[in-house]
Amino acid sequence: MPRIDADRFLKDLNDLRKIGAYRTGVHRPTYSPQDMESRRWLMERLAECGLEPSIDGIGNVYGRHKGPGPHLLVGSHIESQNQAGWLDGALGVVAGVALARAGLPVDVCAFADEEGHFEGGFLGSRSIIGELSEEEIDRSRSRNDGQPLREALAAAGLAGKPRMQLEPGRHKGFFEMHIEQGTQLESNSLRVGVVTGIVAIWQWLIRFEGQQDHAGGTTMAERKDAGLSAVRLLAAIDQEFPRVCGERSTWTTGRISLEPGAPSIIPGSAEVLFQFRDVSVPVLERMEQTLRRLVQESNRREKCPATLIQKSRATPAICDPAMMAALDAAAQAEAPGAWTRMPSGAGHDAQYIAKRMPAAMLFTPSIGGISHHWAEDTKEEDLALCCQVLASAAERFLSA
Ligand SMILES: [Zn+2]
């Protein structure tokens, strides 16, 4: 089995941490000078370990293995959320470098803007599988300051560069190592998570029509308060969903807006942004049926009719069984009894790469579950262990 150079791996991670350092984390928004510096830094590391480095027109940095295959693709993203953690994304990219250093036949990729600083998000992984159009690039703007994506690409020196596509048939699979960004591993004293799939998010807009009126002159019996109807439906969802959901399903009301939203006016309409997530389509469908039934019941009971509009309906990305089996075996060999299988509640580049090749993910524990914050951290021994698990799993999967 290949052994990774743990000291070198940790040194690479800590060197990258210095670029755009913010307190104990980093600030490297996509295409910022700090982000571009980190991409150049990565290209030097890729060249150093014998890969052929390149950067494309969306900012994807790619290191191509020069020897014979079969090859694996390994990577993640290198930009960060604003004033956020040093490991989110960077870990999976630097782990790819560590595997290349250990002599494994891997291509390494840092996909641009997984974090969605620009509208659309996942620009790099969608571009490399051919699911990002020129029209979308024309339209997209920065969510931070409204800068058009085209302008940002030009300022970063990427305008006019071709965008690379995955080479069909080149890769046996894609591995992404990432921090958990939750507390499941830590709270169970586990050190490695083998990811079973990446949840799909189903988004909904629920609109209630009431009657805008005077908060004093209109009696309680007369009024049609759209806000009240909305919160009663949300309470009913919260009561019913536990009967139909999966073990790790989540549901969230991200926004409730009342019109006109003034202290002495009965809300004439209400809009609710609601989403639920799970890794299983049957579970998602059960939650949808329950939501539709509850809206119907609300419309029988309430004076303010509700309309349910589906905003998005993604497909969960299921991790490849043979790659998961290789990760299980490697985890059991390197960390007996200290690993588990688990779904990913957050989105990752792997969900797009999984559309083109078998894909799998590995999680390291996050201290206190903190992520998208500069205090995000993982114990060095856990980082090194997980990278070794990844290397051993890569070898097992390649020779299977
Ligand atoms: Zn990430």
Side-chain angles (χ1 to χ4, degrees), residues 208-243:
F208 295 81
E209 281 310 317
Q211 176 67 52
Q212 183 179 330
D213 224 326
H214 194 289
T218 315
T219 64
M220 297 311 286
E222 285 169 327
R223 64 181 61 195
K224 295 177 183 165
D225 183 334
L228 264 183
S229 297
V231 297
R232 277 197 286 256
L233 174 64
L234 293 172
I237 291 171
D238 204 44
Q239 198 159 40
E240 288 298 307
F241 267 25
R243 297 183 216 278

Side-chain angles (χ1 to χ4, degrees), residues 222-296:
E222 285 169 327
R223 64 181 61 195
K224 295 177 183 165
D225 183 334
L228 264 183
S229 297
V231 297
R232 277 197 286 256
L233 174 64
L234 293 172
I237 291 171
D238 204 44
Q239 198 159 40
E240 288 298 307
F241 267 25
R243 297 183 216 278
V244 298
C245 72
E247 200 184 333
R248 288 292 311 278
S249 306
T250 58
W251 54 94
T252 305
T253 302
R255 188 195 296 165
I256 303 174
S257 27
L258 305 179
E259 283 295 323
S264 293
I265 304 177
I266 299 163
S269 67
E271 275 196 358
V272 172
L273 289 185
F274 181 72
Q275 62 156 248
F276 49 79
R277 303 180 180 212
D278 199 85
V279 80
S280 148
V281 171
V283 169
L284 290 161
E285 284 171 345
R286 282 208 306 270
M287 293 170 87
E288 172 175 356
Q289 282 161 13
T290 304
L291 176 62
R292 291 191 184 281
R293 173 173 64 76
L294 290 170
V295 168
Q296 276 175 6

Side-chain angles (χ1 to χ4, degrees), residues 76-77 88-89 114-115 176 178 181 347-348 372:
S76 189
H77 59 96
D88 183 354
E114 187 271 349
E115 294 291 6
E176 182 173 5
H178 204 280
Q181 304 174 289
H348 295 288
H372 287 189

Side-chain angles (χ1 to χ4, degrees), residues 122-139:
F122 295 96
L123 297 178
S125 44
R126 288 196 294 133
S127 175
I128 207 167
I129 63 165
E131 291 194 1
L132 178 70
S133 67
E134 291 295 319
E135 294 68 37
E136 185 176 346
I137 298 176
D138 289 339
R139 272 198 318 270

Side-chain angles (χ1 to χ4, degrees), residues 326-342:
L327 286 166
D328 289 349
Q332 184 58 24
E334 303 288 340
W339 62 279
T340 187
R341 282 193 170 196
M342 62 189 298

